[in-house]
Amino acid sequence: MQWVGVPRLAAAVSNAGGLGILTALTQPSPAALRTAIKETRAMTSKPFGVNITLLPSINPPDYAGYARAAVDEGVTVFETAGHSPGELIKFFKANGCIVIHKCTQIKHAKSAAKLGVDVLSIDGFECAGHPGEEDIGGLVLLARAAKELNIPYIASGGIADARGIAASLALGAAGVNMGTRFMCTVESPLHQNIKEKIVASTEQDTVHIFRTMRNTARVFKNKVSMEVVAIERRPGGAKFEDIRELVSGQRGRLVYENGDPDYGIWSAGICMGLIDDIPTCEDLLRTLERGTEEIIGNLNSVVVTNSKL
Ligand code: NAD
């Protein structure tokens, strides 16, 4: 949700009864994050959280500075994601905060639980952005979470409709995390062309970049992402420097601002295939709530076959 988790969207999600999340690194500095937190608070009296993602970056961010700024501003819910979150988690817990940690493998989820996180966000291979390197889909990952984790977890990756939510609850999740779905709402900051592009796209319109650099990211399939994949597949492979200009987040940001879906790299999940409207966050959450209750109410018989071995 880089460039998307801004005050207006986070406040709209919280006002609709969800937990809105601001993405810290969308703000250029810890001071700017403080301003964004104040702006969000002016738009909602409900709780909201801040995400800090620790992944390779062209200009390494001041993660500790962002964390301190948010805690000083009174934020009490944090989502961490990426590599080596230990120091951040310790800092948040020492300050009495609730920490949700996003993981793509059960072994990482267990390590995060040992570090004291309160909730895990279990992120299947269907997700937008960084799915890890093991390619485990949500169905198996969540069922393993149900068997092996002893703290609450929410389901991430591939969820955009009531069926996905009902399935996640059946898999033991306490809730769901949706990125691509919220990108395509009235309050999302994306240019209207990009929202319409998501509606027009299918589950076949994403591609993985950075596979060869062990920093895999699922992004929208366009000219730039296909060029990156072609460079990575060259005999002898590619170095990050060979693709730096193409993949830069600053360039991707302009896709959202100017509305040209081919201009740069932008994250999108395969749940695009399930998205066919651009509702307000309020309408979206009410529709999902009603749909989920209806599906759960109708679950009364199960047929099992042995034809998929
Ligand atoms: P950026 O402009 O610094 O980098 C662009 C992309 O290149 C990012 O995906 C980054 O991980 C990758 N990258 C940077 N240096 C790399 C290296 N040496 N080797 C391999 N890959 C490298 O990033 P940004 O778009 O401004 O985003 C800021 C941060 O937020 C990055 O760490 C990015 O990974 C992260 N992010 C995470 C998600 C997610 O799904 N969790 C989505 C978008 C961005």
Side-chain angles (χ1 to χ4, degrees), residues 6-28:
V6 296
R8 181 169 179 235
L9 179 60
V13 173
S14 290
N15 283 335
L19 178 68
I21 306 270
L22 288 175
T23 45
L25 305 187
T26 292
Q27 302 302 326

Side-chain angles (χ1 to χ4, degrees), residues 84-150:
S84 310
E87 287 307 310
L88 272 189
I89 292 170
K90 270 192 233 155
F91 173 76
F92 293 136
K93 291 313 297 174
N95 282 281
C97 301
I98 294 171
V99 181
I100 305 167
H101 182 67
K102 196 183 284 175
C103 309
T104 58
Q105 287 187 50
I106 297 300
K107 69 177 181 192
H108 297 155
K110 288 182 172 173
S111 309
K114 276 196 198 127
L115 288 170
V117 306
D118 303 275
V119 179
L120 291 155
S121 175
I122 303 295
D123 203 9
F125 188 56
E126 299 88 341
C127 71
H130 296 270
E133 308 303 323
E134 300 298 327
D135 305 358
I136 313 295
L139 202 54
V140 168
L141 210 50
L142 289 163
R144 277 207 62 203
K147 283 195 344 200
E148 296 186 42
L149 301 182
N150 50 20

Side-chain angles (χ1 to χ4, degrees), residues 1-3 25-26 51 53-61 63 81-82 102 123 127-131 209-210 213-215 217-218 240-241 243-244 247-251 265 267:
M1 294 294 269
Q2 177 74 337
W3 315 125
L25 305 187
T26 292
N51 167 290
T53 295
L54 305 129
L55 285 169
S57 291
I58 293 174
N59 299 308
Y63 298 118
K102 196 183 284 175
D123 203 9
C127 71
H130 296 270
I209 60 170
F210 302 139
M213 298 174 190
R214 293 193 64 75
N215 184 32
R218 187 189 292 283
F240 182 71
E241 287 63 38
I243 55 171
R244 179 202 302 257
V247 302
S248 139
Q250 289 301 330
R251 178 170 172 166
I265 297 291
S267 295

Side-chain angles (χ1 to χ4, degrees), residues 1-13 21 43 178-196 198 255-257 266-267 275 277-282 284:
M1 294 294 269
Q2 177 74 337
W3 315 125
V4 187
V6 296
R8 181 169 179 235
L9 179 60
V13 173
I21 306 270
M43 288 184 272
M178 299 189 296
T180 307
R181 178 59 276 196
F182 280 115
M183 286 166 73
C184 201
T185 56
V186 169
E187 296 90 344
S188 139
L190 270 57
H191 191 289
Q192 186 68 14
N193 288 354
I194 304 301
K195 296 180 191 178
E196 288 170 10
I198 293 174
V255 167
Y256 297 154
E257 282 181 16
W266 53 287
S267 295
I275 296 175
D277 60 357
I278 308 171
T280 62
C281 291
E282 173 69 28
L284 174 64

